[in-house]
Every structure is written in C-alpha cells, then in structure tokens.
Amino acid sequence: MNPGVNNEAVPAILLLSKLSFLSIFDTSIEMAGLRRLAETIFEDNRIMDVEIPFVCEAYIDSTYFG
C-alpha cells in the first residue's frame, strides 16, 4: 500500500528469495512489472502468492481467457 513502489522496485523485490506472499494493491506496479515478477517466479520455480489489483486481474482475464 505504497504508491511510491513502482515497476522499478521489482528487481529489489525479486531479491527477497524467501518471500512467499506479496500484495501490490495500492502500489504503482503495473502490468510490465507484474510480467517481470511472474517471469522470474516461473523461471526460478518459486512459490509465491501475489495479490494483484483488479485492473491487472481484468487485463489478464481478457488477454488469456477472453
């Protein structure tokens, strides 16, 4: 819940290798940052629960399921 956290913070977040839950509600992380986050989580076989804003969820749903 910090609007000062944006896509540029994603590399630093990814350094937290034991992070298992991340909420990006009320941040300035957009789809580009979320893609980078998801790509690294997938490539590193990490297990992480990421809570995303509705606008990102709607975009993902419309892109992959609609």
Side-chain angles (χ1 to χ4, degrees):
M1 299 178 113
N2 183 342
V5 175
N6 59 24
N7 293 338
E8 293 178 18
V10 171
I13 292 169
L14 290 169
L15 291 175
L16 303 171
S17 62
K18 295 185 181 202
L19 186 66
S20 62
F21 177 80
L22 176 66
S23 175
I24 61 170
F25 278 117
D26 295 326
T27 67
S28 296
I29 295 177
E30 300 170 334
M31 282 306 301
L34 183 58
R35 280 188 195 99
R36 183 168 184 189
L37 187 66
E39 181 179 342
T40 302
I41 291 169
F42 178 77
E43 288 175 353
D44 293 351
N45 291 319
R46 293 188 194 183
I47 297 174
M48 183 186 300
D49 186 19
V50 181
E51 191 174 53
I52 62 174
F54 177 75
V55 68
C56 293
E57 186 175 341
Y59 175 83
I60 292 168
D61 288 346
S62 70
T63 302
Y64 296 102
F65 304 112

